[in-house]
C-alpha cells in the first residue's frame, strides 16, 4: 500500500533532494548544450553520466521515487554508452538526454513533495528503452576496435513514429 | 565513534547521515570526494570511513588505496557504498583492503549489520568499538 503522505523526515529529505537534483540537472544540461553547439567539454560525458548515476542512487534510496529510479537508470545507460564510445555523441542522442534531464527538472518542480512521484513522459521512456535495446545488439557485436555506432537516424525515425 | 561519510552527491551524504543518526551515531562529518576526505582523515580522529565508490577526482577506490598505504590510517575500517553490485569493482575494493560493502538502497538495519560485522571482525578496532553508542 502506498503512503498517502510523506513523513517529516522523508519530506525533509525529498525537499533537500529536489534542490540538490535541480542544481545537478542545470550542470548536466549546460554540458549537453555545449556539446550540442559543437564545443569541446573535457570530461563532459563523464559528468553527464555521473549526474544520472547520482540521481539514480538517491532515487533508489528515497521512498516513492521508483519511477525516477528506472528513468535515471535508462538515462545513465545511454550516457555510459556515449562516454565509453560505444555509440556516437550525435545531436539526436544528446538531445534525448537533454530532454530526459529537462523532464526530471519538471517532475521535481511540480511533484517533488508528492508521496509517490508520477511517471516520466512515455515518449521519453520509450526512446530511452529503444536506445537500450539497440545497445544490447551493439554490445554483442563489438570487437573492441569498432568505431562508435551512430543511432542518429534510427532514433530519429523511432521518435518520429512514436 | 567518529565517522566520515564521503559521497559526491550531497543528498546521499544526507541519507547516510540520517541512517547513522537513527543508529545513534551523532559524530558524523562529510566530504564530497576522496581528495577532500584524505586531509580530513589525517588528524581528524576518525574511527570509521564510509565512502561511495563512484566519485570524480579521487574515487572511493583511490581513497581506499591511499588510506591503506598511509601508515597513520592503514587500520581504519572502511565500508564502501555502491549503487551497482558491480562484481569487478567490489573485487577490486576487496583486494585493496576494504572491510565491507553495501549496495544501495539499504536500511538502517542493514547498515548496522555491516558496522557490526566490520567491528566484530577486526581485533585492531576493539578499542574503537567500545566507544560506540
Amino acid at each position: 500500500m502506498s503512503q498517502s503522505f510523506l513523513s517529516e523526515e522523508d519530506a525533509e529529505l525529498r525537499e533537500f533532494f529536489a534542490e540538490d537534483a535541480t542544481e545537478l540537472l542545470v550542470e548536466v544540461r549546460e554540458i549537453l548544450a555545449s556539446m550540442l553547439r559543437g564545443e569541446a567539454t573535457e570530461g563532459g560525458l563523464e559528468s553527464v553520466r555521473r549526474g544520472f548515476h547520482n540521481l539514480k542512487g538517491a532515487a533508489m534510496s528515497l521512498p516513492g521515487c521508483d519511477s525516477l529510479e528506472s528513468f535515471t537508470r535508462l538515462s545513465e545507460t545511454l550516457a555510459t554508452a556515449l562516454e565509453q564510445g560505444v555509440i556516437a555523441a550525435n545531436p539526436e542522442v544528446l538531445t534525448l538526454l537533454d530532454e530526459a534531464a529537462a523532464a526530471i527538472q519538471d517532475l521535481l518542480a511540480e511533484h517533488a513533495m508528492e508521496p509517490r512521484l508520477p511517471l516520466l513522459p512515455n515518449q521519453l521512456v520509450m526512446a530511452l528503452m529503444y536506445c537500450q535495446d539497440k545497445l544490447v545488439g551493439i554490445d554483442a557485436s563489438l570487437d573492441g576496435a569498432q568505431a562508435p555506432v551512430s543511432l542518429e537516424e534510427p532514433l530519429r525515425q523511432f521518435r518520429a513514429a512514436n | 565513534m567518529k565517522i566520515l561519510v564521503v559521497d559526491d552527491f550531497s543528498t546521499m551524504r544526507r541519507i547516510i547521515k540520517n541512517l547513522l543518526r537513527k543508529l545513534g551515531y551523532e559524530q558524523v562529518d562529510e566530504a564530497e570526494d576522496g581528495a577532500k576526505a584524505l586531509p580530513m582523515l589525517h588528524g581528524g580522529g576518525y574511527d570509521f570511513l564510509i565512502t561511495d565508490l563512484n566519485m570524480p577526482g579521487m574515487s572511493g577506490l583511490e581513497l581506499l588505496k591511499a588510506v591503506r598505504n598511509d601508515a597513520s590510517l592503514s587500520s581504519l575500517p572502511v565500508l564502501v557504498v555502491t549503487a551497482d553490485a558491480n562484481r569487478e569493482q567490489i573485487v577490486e575494493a576487496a583486494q585493496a583492503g576494504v572491510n565491507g560493502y553495501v549496495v544501495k538502497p539499504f536500511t538502517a538495519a542493514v547498515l548496522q549489520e555491516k558496522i557490526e560485522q566490520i567491528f566484530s571482525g577486526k581485533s585492531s578496532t576493539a578499542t574503537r568499538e567500545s566507544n560506540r553508542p
Side-chain angles (χ1 to χ4, degrees), chain B:
Chain B
M1 179 156 73
K2 193 173 177 188
I3 303 172
L4 182 63
V5 174
V6 189
D7 195 301
D8 60 317
F9 196 41
S10 56
T11 300
M12 273 318 301
R13 298 198 298 271
R14 176 74 69 103
I15 289 169
I16 295 170
K17 282 178 81 171
N18 281 6
L19 293 175
L20 288 167
R21 196 179 305 123
K22 276 185 191 168
L23 297 172
Y25 301 102
E26 296 289 346
Q27 279 189 282
V28 184
D29 293 330
E30 54 183 277
E32 64 185 49
D33 62 30
K36 291 198 171 62
L38 207 48
M40 290 175 74
L41 289 169
H42 283 119
Y46 291 98
D47 304 296
F48 188 34
L49 170 63
I50 300 177
T51 181
D52 184 27
L53 276 179
N54 193 340
M55 295 183 292
M58 181 186 269
S59 72
L61 190 62
E62 289 166 336
L63 175 61
L64 170 65
K65 288 176 179 174
V67 164
R68 289 292 174 257
N69 289 326
D70 187 312
S72 65
L73 299 173
S74 60
S75 64
L76 181 69
V78 180
L79 175 71
V80 295
V81 175
T82 177
D84 308 296
N86 180 321
R87 187 180 168 84
E88 280 177 27
Q89 264 191 338
I90 291 166
V91 167
E92 202 173 351
Q95 287 172 338
V98 78
N99 299 85
Y101 74 93
V102 61
V103 179
K104 298 173 199 171
F106 52 91
T107 60
V110 169
L111 186 56
Q112 176 67 24
E113 191 181 318
K114 294 287 176 183
I115 293 171
E116 281 171 4
Q117 280 172 4
I118 287 171
F119 282 86
S120 65
K122 282 181 70 75
S123 57
S124 61
T125 56
T127 312
R128 293 181 182 117
E129 190 170 20
S130 68
N131 293 331
R132 286 174 52 203

Side-chain angles (χ1 to χ4, degrees), chain A residues 81-156:
Chain A
L82 282 172
E83 185 190 5
Q84 293 177 344
V86 175
I87 58 172
N90 46 40
E92 193 73 21
V93 176
L94 294 173
T95 299
L96 174 57
L97 280 179
D98 183 56
E99 288 176 16
I104 300 169
Q105 283 179 320
D106 291 346
L107 179 87
L108 293 174
E110 293 169 25
H111 306 284
M113 300 312 291
E114 291 178 16
R116 181 163 293 277
L117 293 180
L119 298 174
L120 279 294
N122 271 344
Q123 286 179 327
L124 288 176
V125 173
M126 285 169 65
L128 289 167
M129 289 182 76
Y130 173 80
C131 292
Q132 183 170 270
D133 287 348
K134 287 285 179 189
L135 284 169
V136 173
I138 293 168
D139 283 341
S141 63
L142 273 183
D143 62 5
Q146 205 165 319
V149 173
S150 175
L151 291 185
E152 183 82 355
E153 195 50 36
L155 180 58
R156 183 180 296 128

